[in-house]
Amino acid sequence: MNSAAVPVHIDNLVILSPFNESTKVGDTNARTDIGLVEPSLPTQEVLLWREESSLNYETNQVRVNLEFESSTLPDVISITLYQEAEYLFASAKDEVFEDGLDSFFSKALVSRVQEYGDAFVDVLAHFILARDANEEVAWEALRWLGKLSDAKTYVKRLWLLERSLASSSPVIRDGAGLGLAALDDRHAIPYLKLAIQREEISILRSNLEQVLTQLIAAK
Amino acid sequence: MRNNKDIQRPDLDAWQVESLRFTLFLSPSAEKPDPSLWERIVGEPAEAITSQPKLGVIQAQGAVESGVLVMIIQPLRVDWVYNKPEEAQAIGSFSPSLNLFHRLMNSWFEVAPNALRLAFGGVLLIPVDTKADGYRLLSTLLPSVIIDAEGSSDFSYQINRARISKAGIEGLRINRLSRWSTALWSGSTVLIQGDRVTTTPSERRYASRLEIDINTAADFQGEFRAEQVGTVFSELVELGREIAQEGDIP
């Protein structure tokens, strides 16, 4: 809370209510559109929470929206999920990964994707594409994003793997290729072709070509 | 007591714009958008560019006429949001605000990355005196809904009436998501004394509220090339305009 010695008086602070008269934030799958805010906090609490570091209330307006299947409102990266991914990646950085074998990390990753769905894949996308993750762990994550069986996150996992082919990190590009080989979806063919054209590392290009051959042969 | 039928359907420009949004979901093959494009689109440098490297998020923003334009680049998507200024209740009426936003976006489409999915969104308001007035106004726009303006509360109606696109792209379906409600803004005076915060309610304002989210369906398998993005966006905008003018129609 504000620690000023004298009382601070603010007139006409407008607290944006939810979209109708008495709906309250937080009890359902509410979310806000201002970024890093834990969706489960009620509006008023969010506002007061942000007062700690700022008296500029005008920037603290929080709008609440409920999620629906066809909505394209901005996603909120949950602090909790982000921290969970951060912890998961940090814990795994000394683990040795081997192709074909489970790891502590892979088991934890698979369970979280299955539990949290697209929201967790979104966090992984931010984590991997922003190059904030340890590359070896990201490599393992991409492999398992292709291997794991979870229909509800399929489209987003496919997107992340295809997008990761354009990463500036060869380790991440390699992981993406392995993940796409596991997913075995012809949708990735044009992105693999593009990645092969751009690839300057011959061994990696060769690996991607093998994946491409496999996908072309896939039904 | 006024009857719901006594009220006329509002003109398009009775709607005040709280925000407009264009969202582009990046294709896996898309180049990461460059925030310096802001200047080319707006005609002057952004007032602020902020970056959250750990999340891969870059945000540029600046005042544009009576609103604030924000460009948010994330790993999965790019959002352009035209918001009301913080101290105002709206940017202005619907048509001029939308025309300006559309013109700005057209400048971006010349250099836009390839996309998997596109969306046009907005939050529109018509100020009313009371909640019941808000319900009566909504009833003129929602022919399939009977609203008891005096005897009910917490009305919220949301529907997606998808249509097939007329943009000439095979298999493209467009979601026409609209949400109708009466919003209440309650002003409060906050007194902070040391660790103690007391909040006293004061002003209350009502408005009929329409949120639109017109977007290409997530199951579309193709990509939108840069030259198609503008065409599809224009169609999304027209569908949004139709909802604001005609209400909830199939």
Side-chain angles (χ1 to χ4, degrees):
Chain A
M1 286 297 128
N2 184 282
S3 58
V6 289
V8 181
H9 186 244
I10 297 151
D11 288 317
N12 293 325
L13 164 64
V14 174
I15 297 174
L16 282 186
S17 297
F19 57 84
N20 66 13
E21 306 97 280
S22 65
T23 307
K24 293 289 181 282
V25 190
D27 296 333
T28 62
N29 51 349
R31 57 182 182 174
T32 73
D33 62 3
I34 62 163
L36 281 168
V37 174
E38 178 55 52
S40 64
L41 290 172
T43 305
Q44 196 136 328
E45 194 174 338
V46 171
L47 285 158
L48 296 175
W49 178 54
R50 287 171 64 88
E51 283 170 19
E52 289 180 3
S53 57
S54 169
L55 287 175
N56 184 8
Y57 293 96
E58 291 169 354
T59 64
N60 293 343
Q61 294 177 350
V62 177
R63 186 169 304 119
V64 178
N65 301 291
L66 300 179
E67 293 185 53
F68 291 89
E69 56 179 314
S70 57
S71 170
T72 61
L73 282 165
D75 298 323
V76 169
I77 301 302
S78 156
I79 290 173
T80 309
L81 287 189
Y82 191 84
Q83 286 173 338
E84 192 147 347
E86 207 167 28
Y87 177 75
L88 195 64
F89 276 68
S91 309
K93 71 180 192 311
D94 297 323
E95 202 173 340
V96 177
F97 303 120
E98 291 183 53
D99 204 355
L101 295 178
D102 289 358
S103 59
F104 288 114
F105 171 75
S106 69
K107 287 177 188 166
L109 179 88
V110 168
S111 76
R112 277 157 184 79
V113 170
Q114 288 170 339
E115 182 177 355
Y116 300 121
D118 277 348
F120 197 71
V121 182
D122 280 347
V123 169
L124 294 176
H126 281 263
F127 218 66
I128 293 169
L129 297 173
R131 304 274 318 264
D132 195 34
N134 174 293
E135 287 187 339
E136 299 300 327
V137 185
W139 177 85
E140 177 76 348
L142 289 164
R143 267 188 347 112
W144 280 92
L145 285 174
K147 285 177 80 167
L148 73 91
S149 173
D150 182 49
K152 66 183 187 301
T153 57
Y154 185 89
V155 171
K156 197 145 264 183
R157 287 185 288 121
L158 175 62
W159 180 90
L160 176 54
L161 291 167
E162 290 170 340
R163 184 78 176 144
S164 298
L165 288 172
S167 170
S168 57
S169 158
V171 178
I172 287 178
R173 295 199 297 276
D174 186 50
L178 291 169
L180 287 169
L183 218 52
D184 205 24
D185 189 324
R186 292 170 59 89
H187 187 271
I189 288 175
Y191 306 113
L192 272 166
K193 285 181 175 171
L194 196 63
I196 290 165
Q197 273 175 23
R198 290 193 292 218
E199 188 55 65
E200 293 177 352
I201 302 171
S202 60
I203 180 76
L204 185 47
R205 189 168 57 244
S206 170
N207 289 346
L208 293 175
E209 282 168 348
Q210 280 183 39
V211 180
L212 178 63
T213 305
Q214 175 197 318
L215 297 197
I216 288 171
K219 287 184 181 174
Chain B
M1 183 188 295
R2 274 187 289 178
N3 188 297
N4 289 1
K5 288 177 183 167
D6 296 341
I7 296 186
Q8 297 290 309
R9 195 166 67 198
D11 291 338
L12 186 62
D13 284 327
W15 288 109
Q16 298 289 302
V17 175
E18 185 178 296
S19 68
L20 297 171
R21 168 175 63 91
F22 172 62
T23 300
L24 182 150
F25 291 83
L26 293 162
S27 152
S29 63
E31 297 291 330
K32 192 169 182 184
D34 181 354
S36 68
L37 287 171
W38 173 281
E39 189 166 350
R40 171 175 170 167
I41 289 146
V42 178
E44 57 185 30
E47 288 169 14
I49 297 180
T50 53
S51 174
Q52 294 173 276
K54 280 171 82 80
L55 290 172
V57 177
I58 301 171
Q59 179 170 316
Q61 77 170 60
V64 175
E65 297 203 359
S66 54
V68 177
L69 187 66
V70 187
M71 177 196 198
I72 308 162
I73 302 169
Q74 300 189 55
L76 293 84
R77 60 192 277 164
V78 180
D79 290 281
W80 284 90
V81 185
Y82 191 38
N83 271 323
K84 70 178 184 63
E86 284 158 1
E87 68 281 4
Q89 292 176 26
I91 298 168
S93 57
F94 187 54
S95 296
S97 306
L98 179 58
N99 292 343
L100 171 66
F101 184 64
H102 200 165
R103 185 161 51 78
L104 290 165
M105 291 302 94
N106 275 336
S107 310
W108 189 54
F109 297 150
E110 294 166 16
V111 290
N114 289 1
L116 291 181
R117 193 177 181 195
L118 303 169
F120 165 63
V123 179
L124 311 177
L125 305 165
I126 298 179
V128 290
D129 292 336
T130 64
K131 180 195 70 176
D133 285 347
Y135 286 178
R136 280 189 279 269
L137 191 145
L138 289 179
S139 70
T140 67
L141 292 153
L142 302 174
S144 56
V145 181
I146 297 170
I147 308 173
D148 175 6
E150 302 289 345
S152 64
S153 67
D154 299 288
F155 175 79
S156 177
Y157 174 75
Q158 169 157 327
I159 193 162
N160 176 20
R161 293 191 185 271
R163 283 192 191 161
I164 301 299
S165 168
K166 293 177 179 169
I169 299 172
E170 195 180 337
L172 179 60
R173 195 165 47 87
I174 295 180
N175 292 313
R176 296 162 61 240
L177 187 63
S178 64
R179 180 190 296 154
W180 309 79
S181 62
T182 292
L184 164 67
W185 284 261
S186 47
S188 299
T189 299
V190 173
L191 183 64
I192 302 173
Q193 292 173 296
D195 289 344
R196 221 174 127 219
V197 178
T198 42
T199 307
T200 314
S202 53
E203 182 196 11
R204 290 165 77 84
R205 286 188 284 116
Y206 289 94
S208 292
R209 188 169 194 263
L210 165 62
E211 279 181 70
I212 49 174
D213 187 347
I214 318 295
N215 59 75
T216 61
D219 58 6
F220 178 63
Q221 290 290 305
E223 265 194 24
F224 302 103
R225 297 185 306 277
E227 62 271 22
Q228 294 173 312
V229 170
T231 307
V232 175
F233 180 67
S234 293
E235 183 177 18
L236 303 182
V237 165
E238 283 315 307
L239 292 170
R241 202 191 302 264
E242 180 193 68
I243 290 172
Q245 185 149 31
E246 306 291 334
D248 172 40
I249 55 172

